[in-house]
Amino acid sequence: MPIRDAIHHLAEECERFPLTIRDRPVRPRVTPEEIRTHLGERYGALEATSLADLTTDVMRMMREWTLHTTHPRYFGLFNPGVHDSSIVADALAALYNPQLAAWRHAPAASEMERFALDVFARLIGYDPATSGASFTSGGSEANHSAVLAALAHQFSDYPELGVRALGAQPVLYTSAEAHHSFVKIARSVGIGSRAVREIAVDDALRMDVSRLEEAIRKDQAAGRQPFFVVATAGTTGAGAVDPIDEIATVCKSNGLWLHADAAWGGSALLAPSLRPVLAGIERADSVTWDAHKWLSVSMGAGMFFCRHPAALDRAFGIATPYVPPPVPGTIDAYQVTMQWSRRFTGLKVFMALAEVGIEGLRRDVEHQTAMGERLRALLSSAGWVVVNRTPLPLVCFTHPRVERGELSIAELVRRLDARAQVWVSEVALAGGRRAVRACITSFRTAEEDLQLLMDELELAFAGAPSSVDARVKT
Ligand SMILES: *Cc1c(COP(=O)(O)O)cnc(C)c1O
């Protein structure tokens, strides 16, 4: 059976790849031409091939020609190492291909998703019985859903007549460090990107709440209609957490919808020591939380939570002559979300919970947090300067020699990238300050990986040639 052979190869790779990944470069050395030539030579005739050979070839391409986000030395952009259950779950989702638009089509799948979402809703402090929740393609879709639900909730004419009927410009507020998905969202919901007010941050890169209040007053005085505030719990650049509780108070007194964008930082709710950092999140009207970031689940697995099911109904509810009526006591996902056909995204989240348990997920979060603290200590004792303040495992740093102009952050990062033993990025923080950004994104990152990062930083400073280090086989 071709599938048996293919899955045999796949099973071997699933076992071997995570065990050998430390010996590989983090980033590929490949040109577009090299890949295109291979595809053309091997597949250009568009003929049928053996599934087993095809699987082997695809695995080789992925191993050799991928920036490995699951690498323990990928100190990158919130893309995690994944638990084994994600691999099995994505295959099972394809095998049964359930359609989750309507409960009637996918009873088991819908209830497994609901089970998982209820767990995370309770961690936020929501009552699953009175709130809405769904899996999304990612944080962007979850943020988009939040803005649509808020518009429908705050402006009764919006769902039918659109923004033109509002008579005044709706305005939404984020911090200057917030995720840029809100700019795209503002364009697509029809309020325009100029409706996004970026509020200045304090020296810990958290939204300055007095500036927020000032901006709301100015907009109100000018006849505009503030309706939505984003509190970011774990900014993409520096892991800053806005003062959610204070922002919630401002929203309450002004009648504004509070959305907590906890795409990455939401997972801090699992760790008792970090929970207080997100205090006030239970007061948010809606929350974004990506399982494919710090819950170590494969992409994409966003989660959207909303305390106002009626707003979801106003934004997404629809009557169709072709979908069978809902089963009493259940919700058809296409009636409360943007998606229609819907893949079984929640299976990998359900299975991660069941594979390692809530304690296993908590341990990952605490381990990564401890690795972040360790990295800060190593950097400080080697003369580097950490420039962000967050308890979350995201470290932004520079060096006095950079500040003196001997070498730019961009050049430093370029040299690290050329050696391909670690992956870090350059970040520009509020005020234009540049730094190296290193996030602990893998639950497999260990002390030895941090030591190697420190060695690589020294080598980059010394202007080491961009040859691959002898310790690491290519
Ligand atoms: C990653 C991220 C997003 C976007 O989520 P995707 O899953 O990439 O669509 C939004 N907000 C924050 C704070 C993020 O970190």
Side-chain angles (χ1 to χ4, degrees):
M1 289 283 284
I3 183 98
R4 178 178 289 270
D5 292 341
I7 288 187
H8 179 73
H9 293 315
L10 175 61
E12 285 188 337
E13 178 72 355
C14 290
E15 227 170 45
R16 190 176 49 223
F17 182 69
L19 291 178
T20 55
I21 191 169
R22 259 201 189 83
D23 299 330
R24 300 186 159 276
V26 180
R27 140 180 113 61
R29 294 168 188 283
V30 67
T31 60
E33 289 70 32
E34 198 177 340
I35 304 171
R36 288 171 197 164
T37 303
H38 174 74
L39 294 177
E41 284 174 355
R42 182 146 181 161
Y43 303 104
L46 302 181
E47 282 165 357
T49 49
S50 125
L51 183 59
D53 292 350
L54 173 59
T55 303
T56 307
D57 185 52
V58 170
M59 290 189 312
R60 190 189 66 80
M61 285 193 276
M62 294 302 288
R63 254 191 335 259
E64 304 298 328
W65 297 336
T66 297
L67 196 165
H68 289 299
T69 56
T70 66
H71 199 297
R73 294 193 305 276
Y74 171 76
F75 298 103
L77 302 173
F78 296 157
N79 305 300
V82 295
H83 286 295
D84 290 345
S85 49
S86 276
I87 303 166
V88 177
D90 275 344
L92 289 174
L95 172 58
Y96 298 105
N97 199 28
Q99 168 58 282
L100 278 84
W103 191 96
R104 202 182 278 282
H105 258 65
S110 302
E111 290 298 316
M112 280 186 262
E113 286 207 335
R114 198 189 144 91
F115 180 96
L117 289 167
D118 284 1
V119 170
F120 296 105
R122 279 191 217 101
L123 278 166
I124 291 168
Y126 280 9
D127 176 0
T130 58
S131 55
S134 59
F135 282 100
T136 63
S137 57
S140 286
E141 187 196 331
N143 286 345
H144 194 172
S145 305
V147 175
L148 285 168
L151 283 168
H153 185 260
Q154 305 286 86
F155 305 107
S156 58
D157 281 342
Y158 175 78
E160 280 185 43
L161 302 177
V163 267
R164 280 197 312 153
L166 303 185
Q169 172 69 52
V171 183
L172 73 83
Y173 304 82
T174 72
S175 89
E177 292 280 306
H179 195 267
H180 289 83
S181 51
F182 288 101
V183 176
K184 287 206 223 175
I185 290 163
R187 288 181 195 148
S188 64
V189 301
I191 63 175
S193 59
R194 278 201 221 161
V196 180
R197 297 269 179 280
E198 292 191 358
I199 305 300
V201 290
D202 64 16
D203 53 5
L205 302 170
R206 299 150 33 111
M207 183 188 280
D208 181 333
V209 181
S210 59
R211 297 283 192 93
L212 170 67
E213 288 185 285
E214 203 179 295
I216 293 169
R217 270 199 306 275
K218 256 170 100 172
D219 282 318
Q220 284 166 338
R224 292 183 281 263
Q225 298 230 35
F227 76 103
F228 188 89
V229 180
V230 181
T232 308
T235 58
T236 316
V241 180
D242 289 337
I244 308 175
D245 204 47
E246 278 178 62
I247 296 172
T249 301
V250 172
C251 287
K252 186 150 202 268
S253 61
N254 287 280
L256 310 184
W257 181 290
L258 171 61
H259 177 67
D261 183 358
W264 174 64
S267 298
L269 291 168
L270 286 155
S273 60
L274 294 176
R275 252 199 98 83
V277 180
L278 272 61
I281 194 167
E282 70 286 350
R283 297 174 69 190
D285 296 286
S286 54
V287 175
T288 287
W289 183 350
D290 275 350
H292 66 243
K293 284 184 175 162
W294 201 1
L295 285 176
S296 305
V297 159
S298 58
M299 283 180 265
M303 299 188 285
F304 174 61
F305 301 90
C306 178
R307 271 206 289 131
H308 310 283
L312 299 176
D313 181 46
R314 289 174 54 75
F316 302 111
I318 196 99
T320 69
Y322 40 82
V323 181
V327 174
T330 70
I331 292 170
D332 286 347
Y334 84 104
Q335 291 282 3
V336 290
T337 65
M338 193 67 182
Q339 292 181 28
W340 207 292
S341 285
R342 169 176 283 276
R343 69 177 260 108
F344 194 3
T345 295
L347 180 58
K348 50 202 170 191
V349 182
F350 171 80
M351 285 183 67
L353 258 173
E355 181 195 13
V356 301
I358 195 88
E359 282 302 297
L361 294 178
R362 178 186 59 75
R363 268 198 307 277
D364 289 345
V365 167
E366 287 178 346
H367 168 72
Q368 288 169 250
T369 303
M371 287 294 105
E373 273 161 24
R374 182 77 186 119
L375 178 58
R376 280 181 205 106
L378 287 169
L379 286 164
S380 300
S381 61
W384 297 81
V385 182
V386 174
V387 298
N388 66 328
R389 294 211 306 267
T390 177
L392 309 183
L394 198 173
V395 190
C396 300
F397 55 97
T398 181
H399 195 279
R401 287 171 62 183
V402 170
E403 302 303 298
R404 287 199 298 269
E406 285 177 37
L407 187 70
S408 68
I409 294 287
E411 175 59 15
L412 196 63
V413 169
R414 198 196 59 73
R415 289 183 186 179
L416 288 167
D417 186 63
R419 292 175 48 79
Q421 303 311 301
V422 298
W423 199 91
V424 296
S425 54
E426 177 184 15
V427 67
L429 302 173
R433 182 166 202 187
R434 291 184 177 269
V436 180
R437 176 191 181 283
C439 182
I440 314 291
T441 58
S442 171
F443 60 91
R444 295 196 178 95
T445 299
E447 175 85 24
E448 64 179 289
D449 302 303
L450 303 182
Q451 291 293 350
L452 204 143
L453 171 59
M454 296 307 299
D455 294 349
E456 286 290 312
L457 284 166
E458 288 308 312
L459 285 170
F461 240 135
S466 60
S467 62
V468 170
D469 192 277
R471 274 175 307 195
V472 176
K473 303 177 275 295
T474 44

